[in-house]
């Protein structure tokens, strides 16, 4: 059994502080859904509202179509995996996993059997009698997942559960988590500030800033067609040019900037902040979309090479635009054909009009 | 070991290091070990007046221990039922006081550690501590006033009409148990508070999230975590109530004698220091053995208590 989750105009206030506002989200049955945002953006607050530890100041939380108002966390069909995992250190591994079953009054024999099955599921067979402190970071992580799954929740909520792990393990656990989710088929709601995690695992991502959900879409839409300046600058690297809209139609916007006129794809967000001629606008170009200037390049920039960085698979080139303009980054695949540049070289670069997007001017993500 | 001391002196410097070492050693030897050894020595010698101490008649004997057992230093025909039953009752009563304090303090400590916030928690702790500025004797007598036959509680109960004759709280030892429980309540609250405070709140939430009712959260998560604190609090309350003197003297009913009162009488009224120290040592040993036994039963290690 799994269930869909709906947030219906949820607001959460602590005194005068608004931790989350106008949250309207529908998470499908069996979906892997992520809340992505910098720390303090209110994503954990929303997760706690879904799990029942927080009551929204306004709005409704529905799970499986049922209004959860007045239903405590112990009676919701959700299970929460805490950021610090919160395993019970005084219980053995199998007792941890079987805690939810103990609560349900299952006999010890059955509990043990079920715990062993779950240990198999998380690839830790035969480790049930260990103490929690004897496990490694990744193993603890998996025990926490098994403990939550033992409760047979309809919705599993995960609060940055990978943030304490080192990079290698984190990447491994991403794949693992996604695999577990597909195996058990229940709804996962995942909180993270790590865009890599959000993009690789999720069916859909909600990007949040200062309590507000800026965009909800699948990973590639978020990356390719961000709807706000914040999303464009928070998810992945982006080069920004500030300017004014000169001309505009359905498929193209021409933005006048101090570094030239750029032609870009306008992203029109439903019902608000529409781009209009004469408005301030920002043009965003991904570093990998910038190439050496071709004769047919729609947009051209030139500048001076400030720094080159070799990252193995990629070359990163930092270029300073003239007259105190912005520094831009270009990255190209290290396929042996890339021309080497020296610091101080003048360089002509270009990008196509379909790879650049134009958005209304807005607040950018902090570096 | 050598390494440890070398480290100790480089950390503290020779001067401070020596001072700390000497101070601790002096304290241990002169304040704790020597006086107790004197007591042991006294308890094993015949009872003679002070001028003859160390003299010929001051011989080693086990008569005082025998007296506690048989009520006579010569015959072993019958047991000293009076002293022994007082001894047993004292231990039982101390256990009872400990249990009362535990039941009172665990919820309060939990509330202070995990529910109360900031200023409110500080206010509560202050209002727990400040009454203890009043000294023990005064507190004992004020309890007597409170629980007396014409005391505040009886008057209040009669005014409300719950009883029509004053209830003798002192005779029924209600006053004594209340007085003792109150006297050591802080010694129970703070160790438990310290232990519970270090519990990660997320563990409580995790248990709750998995459907656990509140009592199971306490039984499986909070209580096991608080066990060392409960143990150290209980040890202190038990030891101190078994060794209390003022409260039993003032608040005890006519039929209830505390073992410490017998010891006190031996020292003071009958000038029998030898018997007094023998009785006191037996009480001390019994208490230590009882505490160790309890720790064994509840699977607490000595090291955990010190945390």
């Amino acid at each position: 059994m799994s269930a869909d989750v709906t947030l219906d105009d949820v607001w959460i206030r602590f005194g005068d502080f608004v931790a989350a506002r106008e949250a309207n989200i529908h998470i499908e049955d069996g979906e892997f859904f992520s809340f992505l945002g910098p720390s303090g953006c209110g994503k954990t607050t929303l997760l706690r509202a879904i799990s029942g530890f927080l009551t929204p100041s306004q709005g409704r939380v529905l799970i499986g179509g049922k209004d959860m108002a007045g239903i405590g966390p112990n009676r919701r069909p959700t299970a929460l995996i805490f950021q610090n995992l919160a395993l019970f250190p005084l219980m053995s591994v199998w007792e941890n996993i079987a805690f939810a079953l103990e609560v349900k009054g299952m006999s010890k024999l059955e509990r043990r059997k079920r715990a062993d099955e779950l240990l198999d599921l998380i690839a830790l067979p035969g480790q049930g009698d260990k103490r929690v402190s004897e496990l490694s970071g990744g193993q603890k992580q998996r025990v926490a997942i098994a403990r939550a799954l033992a409760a047979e929740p309809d919705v599993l909520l995960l609060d940055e559960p990978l943030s304490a792990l080192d990079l290698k393990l984190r990447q491994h656990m991403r794949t693992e988590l996604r695999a577990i989710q597909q195996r058990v088929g229940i709804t996962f709601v995942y909180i993270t500030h790590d865009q890599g995690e959000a993009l690789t695992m999720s069916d859909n991502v909600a990007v949040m800033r200062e309590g507000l959900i800026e965009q909800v879409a699948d990973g590639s839409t978020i990356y390719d067609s961000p709807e706000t300046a914040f999303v464009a600058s928070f998810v992945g690297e982006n080069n920004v040019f500030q300017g004014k809209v000169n001309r505009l139609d359905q498929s193209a916007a021409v933005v006048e900037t101090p570094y030239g006129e750029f032609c870009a794809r306008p992203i029109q967000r439903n019902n608000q902040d529409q781009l209009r001629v004469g408005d301030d606008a920002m043009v965003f170009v991904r570093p990998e979309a910038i190439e050496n200037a071709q004769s047919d390049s729609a947009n051209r920039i030139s500048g001076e090479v400030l720094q080159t960085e070799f990252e193995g698979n990629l070359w990163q080139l930092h270029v300073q635009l003239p007259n105190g303009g912005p520094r831009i980054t270009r990255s190209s695949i290290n396929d042996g054909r890339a021309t080497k540049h020296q610091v101080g070289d003048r360089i002509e670069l270009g990008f196509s009009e379909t790879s650049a997007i134009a958005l209304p001017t807005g607040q950018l993500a902090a570096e | 070991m050598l390494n440890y001391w070398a480290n100790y002196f480089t950390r503290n410097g020779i001067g401070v290091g020596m001072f700390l070492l000497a101070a601790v050693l002096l304290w241990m030897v002169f304040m704790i070990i020597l006086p107790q050894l004197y007591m042991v020595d006294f308890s094993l010698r015949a009872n003679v007046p002070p001028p003859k101490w160390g003299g010929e008649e001051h011989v080693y004997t086990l008569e005082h221990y025998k007296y506690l057992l048989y009520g006579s230093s010569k015959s072993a025909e019958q047991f000293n039922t009076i002293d022994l039953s007082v001894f047993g009752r004292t231990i039982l009563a101390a256990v009872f006081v400990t249990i009362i304090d535990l039941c009172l303090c665990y919820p309060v400590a939990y509330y202070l550690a995990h529910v109360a916030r900031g200023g409110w928690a500080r206010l509560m702790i202050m209002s727990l501590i400040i009454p203890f500025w009043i000294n023990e004797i005064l507190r004992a007598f004020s309890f007597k006033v409170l629980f007396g036959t014409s005391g505040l509680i009886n008057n209040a109960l009669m005014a409300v009409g719950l009883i029509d004759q004053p209830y003798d709280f002192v005779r029924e030892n209600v006053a004594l148990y209340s007085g003792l429980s109150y006297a050591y309540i802080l010694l129970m609250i703070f160790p438990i508070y310290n232990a519970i405070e270090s519990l990660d709140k997320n563990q409580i939430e995790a248990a709750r999230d998995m459907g656990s009712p509140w009592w199971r959260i306490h039984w499986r998560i909070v209580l096991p975590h608080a066990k060392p604190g409960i143990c150290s609090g209980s040890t202190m309350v038990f030891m101190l109530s078994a060794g209390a003197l003022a409260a039993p003297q003032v608040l005890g009913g006519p039929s209830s004698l505390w073992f410490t009162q017998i010891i006190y009488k031996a020292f003071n009224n009958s000038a029998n220091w030898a018997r007094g120290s023998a009785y006191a040592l037996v009480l001390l040993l019994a208490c230590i053995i009882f505490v160790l036994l309890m720790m064994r039963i509840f699977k607490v290690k000595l090291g955990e208590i010190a945390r």
Side-chain angles (χ1 to χ4, degrees), chain A residues 90 131, chain B residues 223-224 226-229 231 291-305 307:
Chain A
L90 300 175
R131 301 205 70 91
Chain B
L223 258 174
K227 205 165 72 174
C231 197
V291 165
L292 291 177
L293 196 74
M294 285 297 125
M295 283 168 64
R296 195 65 179 277
I297 291 174
F298 288 104
K299 296 197 184 94
V300 184
K301 292 193 191 74
L302 204 56
E304 287 180 82
I305 291 186
R307 265 194 323 195

Side-chain angles (χ1 to χ4, degrees), chain A residues 31-52:
Chain A
E31 187 176 334
F32 197 124
F33 189 93
S34 292
F35 285 98
L36 172 66
S39 60
C41 70
K43 53 195 191 302
T44 300
T45 307
L46 283 184
L47 193 77
R48 289 178 70 81
I50 298 173
S51 63

Side-chain angles (χ1 to χ4, degrees), chain A residues 48 51 53 73-74 78-80 82 84 86-91 95 99-100 102-103 147 151, chain B residues 200-214 216-217 219-221 224-226:
Chain A
R48 289 178 70 81
S51 63
F53 286 109
N74 49 348
T78 58
L80 176 58
F82 290 79
N84 67 355
L87 294 174
F88 306 131
L90 300 175
M91 297 183 200
E95 282 180 301
F99 185 78
E102 186 185 324
V103 170
R147 185 180 69 172
Chain B
D200 175 13
K201 254 196 176 73
N202 285 349
Q203 281 186 28
I204 298 173
E205 290 196 339
R208 195 155 151 241
D209 189 54
M210 276 177 283
S212 184
W214 65 270
R216 195 188 289 275
I217 294 176
W219 181 244
R220 291 289 272 148
I221 315 292
H225 184 85

